[in-house]
Amino acid sequence: MLPTSINFKEQMTETRRTQILLGAAQVFAEKGFHKATTKKIAKAAGISEGTIYNYFDNKRELLVAMIEFISMQSLKNILGGELPQDPHELFTLILRDRQQLIQGYGYLLAPVVAEIFADTELREELYQKVVIPISSHLEKYIQTQIDVGQFRQLDPVIATRTIMGAMLLNFALKLTNLDSRYGYFSDDTIVEQLVMIFLKGMMK
Amino acid sequence: MLPTSINFKEQMTETRRTQILLGAAQVFAEKGFHKATTKKIAKAAGISEGTIYNYFDNKRELLVAMIEFISMQSLKNILGGELPQDPHELFTLILRDRQQLIQGYGYLLAPVVAEIFADTELREELYQKVVIPISSHLEKYIQTQIDVGQFRQLDPVIATRTIMGAMLLNFALKLTNLDSRYGYFSDDTIVEQLVMIFLKGMMK
Amino acid sequence: MLPTSINFKEQMTETRRTQILLGAAQVFAEKGFHKATTKKIAKAAGISEGTIYNYFDNKRELLVAMIEFISMQSLKNILGGELPQDPHELFTLILRDRQQLIQGYGYLLAPVVAEIFADTELREELYQKVVIPISSHLEKYIQTQIDVGQFRQLDPVIATRTIMGAMLLNFALKLTNLDSRYGYFSDDTIVEQLVMIFLKGMMK
Amino acid sequence: MLPTSINFKEQMTETRRTQILLGAAQVFAEKGFHKATTKKIAKAAGISEGTIYNYFDNKRELLVAMIEFISMQSLKNILGGELPQDPHELFTLILRDRQQLIQGYGYLLAPVVAEIFADTELREELYQKVVIPISSHLEKYIQTQIDVGQFRQLDPVIATRTIMGAMLLNFALKLTNLDSRYGYFSDDTIVEQLVMIFLKGMMK
DNA sequence: CATGAATGAGAATTCATTCAT
DNA sequence: CATGAATGAATTCTCATTCAT
């Protein structure tokens, strides 16, 4: 077979995977994991039920793949290019990026996040596949800043989760209108407040 | 019938309810709501499936009753006496308290939290009834500290959620062993790290 | 034990049986056999579920007993006294009596009759216990009339069922308003028409 | 896709529906609606339980579809050619026809009739759609005979139901062996007896 | 005898997954 | 590879019946 043919095939496969993933995202967002039937996912993706199983082992793998797909989506931009070394710039960049992700896909992920909490195995799989890859960059950065004496002596693992937890809750509240007061905070305000707290909280 | 007889009956009913609730809590904690079958709950409670339905209308009501039951248990911790004014002491106290709560009941509530997220109405009800009352104390304290010039100009609402989000994620990770590295952090270490970051992050 | 005591006991038993039967009738009428739960029957009868089983072997026996009870109700009056020998008078008397029975209890029996059709065993039990005892009187009368030369040579069994079938359908239609035209027929009209047809149809 | 392929698919679907319908008819006839489990129906149809739900929304829809199916089959007998004018011939013809219908499908319809009685809406719908169209022919005939002075002054509506009720009960008893004595009556005997009674009962 | 809590066998229905076409 | 009909395990909830009090 010719290389082009292989590429074509691979590309087709990738396209089809993405097509299914987007269909799944739509239905998962509407129904949550358990109430999302493969039949509906197939319909939303414009393919047949059986085809799903040519690309994913089972429904659970589909969920994992979907979350991976979405989580990595915008982070590519960041990980691709050069990261700023200035802590203020970097924190702002990361928080903005995550904030946009949640703004853009949060409504998709929210109902699914629910199910994840309830499922031990799923939780572990996603922590390994999604959370760790993303957070390790931040951990390393914090460690570096500690080493060069910019940041105080703190644990990079805890510090990273501290930022992530704070970020998640604030962005979630902004997204869901659960707390009416978040209606008055602009996205930038929230990012600024968080950056301020964590910068001062971590720098010497 | 004699009053004692009536009391006995009522007591039996209450005992049986609690028995079922504890069985349910056990299975819900292990499996989450969906994977917790009535069969398993019955077995865990040491009664038959049918008996569940003599005390609860359906599986969902059982979940709600369980949340109520747990909430009653934990609310005691909150309604304490005088709060210290020193920020370091206060933050440490609050974080320790929350940490104990999560340590004590988190494994029970985690899978329940899941179902709550998936249910808009329940989510709102519980945010109003549980989250806001608890967090308002912290909000007021932060506002006071800002007013007296101890804390920098920051939004108390966002700041409070920042602490809560950070706290939740870190304690959850400590609780679940999702991240093996949290095995090496003592509870005190986590609390100290959080207090340090937020204190420095908020004080002038 | 004294006879009076025995009588008292028997009477109590009979009273309790009737009490349950009436409760059952009420619920069967409302819900039909399958949807009538023993719990509801017990409540309607003002006793507990368990007590039902002290007087009836099971729910089915309760149904059978109820139908027997109601069917025999008004027929007692007829079977008790002297029956008129004149065919016109007798037919009118019987039809009026059955008509009153259906008018009075039909709404009770209707939903139950439905279930009977569907259940082979029940059907047989009730045919033996209810239909045969009632119809045998009419059969004998017809046979007598044939013997004395008043009626033509016809089969008394078939003739009896012919009257019963005609009666049932007409009275049922009058009762249920299934056919709006039956609203214009008085009870007497229907009885007269039936008597006329069958009298002329059977007499020489 | 080719037209033949489409036809093949449609045909398969129809065949499968019929297959399920026949299985259902068999079990409904044997057990009645309530005691007919989907498991038994599936077995009788030679398919799995789940497949039933690919063709029918629920058990009730399956019942309705079965009634429709049977009705279609039997309606053919009715839409015949010219009816004889002679009362004796006509009555004999009609009774024979109905008798054959009941003989052929009665065992199937009997348990279904049961459920119909229990359901007010279904009852009305079927009385209008099935009973009235069939009986109106007989009503008109009787009216005509009255007008030409052949029959006595009687109400055609009541008279028609009188024949129908008598017919139904007698044929049902012949069909079901509920009354052992009906084993000795040939179909013709019953028809003759009925014709005799009604002819004499209605003619001047 | 009366009670009513406990029982547990079922029953309808759903849906992820398979596999022949 | 795509399809979608068939599968059947699994699940919640009901309710007649029992039996200790």
Side-chain angles (χ1 to χ4, degrees), chain C residues 101-175:
Chain C
L101 184 72
I102 289 174
Q103 209 71 10
Y105 296 100
Y107 76 99
L108 273 175
L109 294 175
V112 168
V113 166
E115 321 268 345
I116 293 166
F117 265 86
D119 192 316
T120 313
E121 292 170 39
L122 204 52
R123 206 154 54 185
E124 277 170 19
E125 194 173 350
L126 282 166
Y127 192 78
Q128 297 301 327
K129 289 194 176 169
V130 177
V131 178
I132 289 198
I134 291 176
S135 55
S136 66
H137 291 284
L138 192 51
E139 279 171 37
K140 278 173 200 155
Y141 176 80
I142 290 173
Q143 184 61 58
T144 308
Q145 294 298 319
I146 294 168
D147 292 344
V148 300
Q150 278 256 52
F151 280 12
R152 279 182 287 104
Q153 284 294 339
L154 34 80
D155 188 282
V157 173
I158 295 178
T160 301
R161 271 76 193 159
T162 301
I163 295 175
M164 288 176 70
M167 209 170 67
L168 275 171
L169 184 57
N170 275 288
F171 292 161
L173 289 172
K174 172 71 181 154
L175 184 75

Side-chain angles (χ1 to χ4, degrees), chain A residues 31-129:
Chain A
K31 304 278 181 181
F33 181 69
H34 279 102
K35 290 194 171 176
T37 63
T38 49
K39 185 169 243 159
K40 275 178 195 144
I41 292 171
K43 199 173 183 181
I47 44 102
S48 73
E49 272 186 279
T51 302
I52 294 173
Y53 291 85
N54 289 334
Y55 294 87
F56 302 94
D57 280 355
N58 50 48
K59 201 182 153 190
R60 157 165 295 187
E61 288 306 309
L62 183 55
L63 174 67
V64 172
M66 188 203 89
I67 297 179
E68 266 185 299
F69 178 76
I70 292 189
S71 302
M72 292 305 178
Q73 208 57 0
S74 65
L75 207 65
K76 280 184 201 160
N77 309 335
I78 292 186
L79 303 182
E82 273 303 294
L83 289 178
Q85 285 305 308
D86 177 58
H88 189 279
E89 272 182 52
L90 183 80
F91 276 26
T92 305
L93 182 71
I94 289 180
L95 285 168
R96 281 245 170 79
D97 174 75
R98 293 292 89 184
Q99 196 268 330
Q100 274 165 22
L101 182 71
I102 289 174
Q103 209 70 9
Y105 295 102
Y107 76 99
L108 272 175
L109 294 175
V112 168
V113 166
E115 320 268 347
I116 292 165
F117 265 85
D119 191 317
T120 313
E121 293 169 39
L122 204 52
R123 204 154 56 186
E124 278 170 19
E125 194 172 349
L126 282 166
Y127 191 79
Q128 297 301 328
K129 289 196 176 167

Side-chain angles (χ1 to χ4, degrees), chain B:
Chain B
M1 256 186 269
L2 298 173
T4 50
S5 168
I6 290 170
N7 284 341
F8 177 72
K9 219 173 188 175
E10 275 178 6
Q11 206 177 313
M12 270 305 296
T13 300
E14 203 49 46
T15 304
R16 190 45 65 92
R17 260 185 70 96
T18 306
Q19 182 188 1
I20 296 171
L21 246 20
L22 291 176
Q26 199 176 312
V27 183
F28 281 148
E30 228 178 283
K31 304 278 181 180
F33 183 70
H34 279 106
K35 287 196 169 179
T37 64
T38 51
K39 187 169 249 164
K40 275 179 196 143
I41 291 170
K43 200 171 185 180
I47 44 102
S48 73
E49 268 188 282
T51 301
I52 294 174
Y53 291 88
N54 289 337
Y55 293 86
F56 303 95
D57 280 354
N58 51 50
K59 205 179 150 191
R60 193 201 171 82
E61 288 305 307
L62 184 55
L63 174 69
V64 171
M66 196 199 89
I67 298 175
E68 276 176 344
F69 182 75
I70 304 275
S71 300
M72 288 297 179
Q73 301 295 90
S74 67
L75 263 181
K76 298 170 198 165
N77 299 2
I78 306 203
L79 314 167
E82 275 304 291
L83 291 176
Q85 285 305 308
D86 176 59
H88 189 277
E89 274 181 52
L90 183 80
F91 276 28
T92 305
L93 183 73
I94 289 181
L95 285 168
R96 282 245 170 80
D97 176 75
R98 296 294 87 187
Q99 197 266 332
Q100 275 165 22
L101 190 71
I102 289 174
Q103 208 72 8
Y105 296 101
Y107 77 98
L108 273 176
L109 290 175
V112 163
V113 165
E115 304 299 325
I116 292 166
F117 263 82
D119 188 317
T120 312
E121 290 173 38
L122 207 51
R123 193 159 59 188
E124 277 171 18
E125 194 176 344
L126 285 168
Y127 189 79
Q128 298 300 327
K129 290 192 177 165
V130 178
V131 179
I132 288 197
I134 291 175
S135 55
S136 67
H137 290 286
L138 193 51
E139 279 171 38
K140 276 173 202 156
Y141 176 81
I142 291 173
Q143 184 60 57
T144 309
Q145 295 298 318
I146 294 168
D147 293 343
V148 301
Q150 279 256 50
F151 280 11
R152 280 182 286 106
Q153 284 294 339
L154 35 80
D155 187 282
V157 172
I158 295 178
T160 302
R161 269 78 193 160
T162 301
I163 295 175
M164 287 176 71
M167 208 169 69
L168 275 171
L169 185 56
N170 275 288
F171 292 160
L173 288 172
K174 172 69 181 158
L175 184 75
T176 55
N177 288 325
L178 215 51
D179 192 317
S180 59
R181 292 166 300 185
Y182 270 75
Y184 302 116
F185 303 142
S186 73
D187 293 338
D188 282 346
T189 304
I190 297 174
V191 169
E192 277 165 27
Q193 292 274 329
L194 287 171
V195 168
M196 180 168 71
I197 290 173
F198 287 117
L199 220 54
K200 295 272 179 191
M202 294 183 183
M203 289 180 80
K204 269 192 171 154

Side-chain angles (χ1 to χ4, degrees), chain D residues 63-74:
Chain D
L63 174 70
V64 171
M66 196 199 89
I67 298 174
E68 277 176 342
F69 182 74
I70 303 276
S71 299
M72 288 297 180
Q73 302 296 90
S74 67

